[in-house]
Amino acid sequence: MSKKRREIPVFDHPIIETHCHLDYLKDRPLEETLEQAQGVNIEKVITIAVSPDNLARVRELSQVAPWVYGTQGIHPHDAESYSDDVEAEIRAHARDEKIVAVGEIGLDYFYDNADRDVQREVFRRQLQIACDTDRPVVIHSREADDDTIEILGEFEATLKRRGVIHSFTSGPGLARYALDQGWCLGFNGITTFNKAENVRDIVRMAPIDQILLETDSPFLTPVPYRGKENAPFYLPFVAEKIAEVKELPLDEVIGKTYQNSLRTFFPGE
């Protein structure tokens, strides 16, 4: 007989889902997913663009509810599909009312789905969009710590809003650089995985006022729901794990990460 999974905890204080991919969710209707998210007191959801094919879809999704927002950007996996026309589309919508960041952009040398020189060029071009439109950035960096630091260093003076290095799995060098420069680090269900002590070490290092909560759903479902498609409503498990690892009261973690999310993406609130 399978062990019954613990029910999703519901906190009194609202939480913000800073990184998911609503257009990738398949297991249930979108309306049901969002209803369940509200049921566990998720106040806002940010769904993330990754490719030329889903820029418009993310903008559409940002309109499905007042509390759903989006980003515009091209993931390093799709860097070779970047073009002047794609850049023009991102620029045209980066300051839309429901678009809160440029992303998901960055470098991925683990899969190497795009030429590394192209990845670096596209990363720089999109960082420039963020500078020009005064938007924060959602960064993907995998097995590319040194180049990520080098390229971000080129924009230290001009990228005012900073942003987040999401799904942080990099080493302490990139973590220290990012934290010193005022970036947030995003953590998700990986923090609950048995073999992710390296990620938990970064959680311990990061000040609580520079941590964001995310699911990256439909990927990286947290324990105890691994094996199921991830969704924003599993975010409370990430909050619990951050509190456990940092040995902080859960209420403090929820409150601080909520304020961090507002500061990063919703500075007017």
Side-chain angles (χ1 to χ4, degrees), residues 78-214:
D78 286 280
E80 291 178 6
S81 65
Y82 197 83
S83 66
D84 290 345
D85 287 345
V86 169
E87 179 165 315
E89 182 176 358
I90 295 169
R91 283 184 176 276
H93 295 285
R95 294 183 63 84
D96 286 3
E97 184 180 4
K98 297 299 291 293
I99 299 302
V100 297
V102 173
E104 172 178 358
I105 70 175
L107 304 172
D108 193 309
Y109 296 170
F110 179 79
Y111 286 106
D112 272 328
N113 285 353
D115 178 83
R116 292 185 180 185
D117 285 338
V118 175
Q119 289 189 48
R120 289 187 283 266
E121 178 195 358
V122 170
F123 188 22
R124 288 184 171 99
R125 288 178 68 173
Q126 294 185 95
L127 286 169
Q128 189 60 52
I129 296 174
C131 295
D132 295 343
T133 59
D134 193 32
R135 281 290 186 256
V137 183
V138 177
I139 289 180
H140 173 108
S141 181
R142 190 164 185 194
E143 304 291 337
D145 293 19
D146 290 345
D147 282 358
T148 298
I149 292 170
E150 179 183 340
I151 292 172
L152 290 181
E154 298 169 11
F155 290 84
E156 283 177 11
T158 53
L159 190 64
K160 304 298 187 186
R161 296 275 302 274
R162 299 299 198 249
V164 60
I165 303 182
H166 105 96
S167 190
F168 197 93
T169 56
S170 296
L174 178 54
R176 287 192 194 96
Y177 172 82
L179 293 168
D180 287 347
Q181 288 295 318
W183 292 82
C184 288
L185 307 183
F187 296 103
N188 51 40
I190 294 175
T191 59
T192 70
F193 297 176
N194 287 337
K195 296 182 178 179
E197 197 60 33
N198 62 313
V199 175
R200 289 187 286 273
D201 284 343
I202 304 297
V203 173
R204 294 183 187 99
M205 173 199 300
I208 189 59
D209 60 1
Q210 287 179 267
I211 288 177
L212 298 182
L213 305 179
E214 61 169 72

Side-chain angles (χ1 to χ4, degrees), residues 200-244:
R200 289 187 286 273
D201 284 343
I202 304 297
V203 173
R204 294 183 187 99
M205 173 199 300
I208 189 59
D209 60 1
Q210 287 179 267
I211 288 177
L212 298 182
L213 305 179
E214 61 169 72
T215 63
D216 202 16
S217 50
F219 315 107
L220 307 173
T221 312
V223 174
Y225 285 85
R226 289 197 75 179
K228 289 183 171 290
E229 180 182 81
N230 201 5
F233 49 75
Y234 291 132
L235 192 59
F237 291 114
V238 180
E240 285 189 330
K241 180 55 73 169
I242 297 294
E244 175 190 321

Side-chain angles (χ1 to χ4, degrees), residues 9-62:
V10 181
F11 310 133
D12 292 335
H13 194 291
I15 50 179
I16 295 175
E17 159 69 293
T18 64
H19 193 115
C20 67
H21 301 276
L22 292 179
D23 52 326
Y24 287 10
L25 300 177
K26 307 297 183 196
D27 278 5
R28 58 186 62 78
L30 177 62
E31 297 77 11
E32 185 179 321
T33 296
L34 294 177
E35 184 178 333
Q36 287 187 245
Q38 283 191 302
V40 297
N41 209 7
I42 292 177
E43 182 182 88
K44 291 179 172 66
V45 168
I46 303 174
T47 188
I48 305 293
V50 292
S51 70
D53 295 339
N54 88 326
L55 291 171
R57 179 58 180 151
V58 166
R59 296 195 301 271
E60 292 170 4
L61 286 165
S62 74

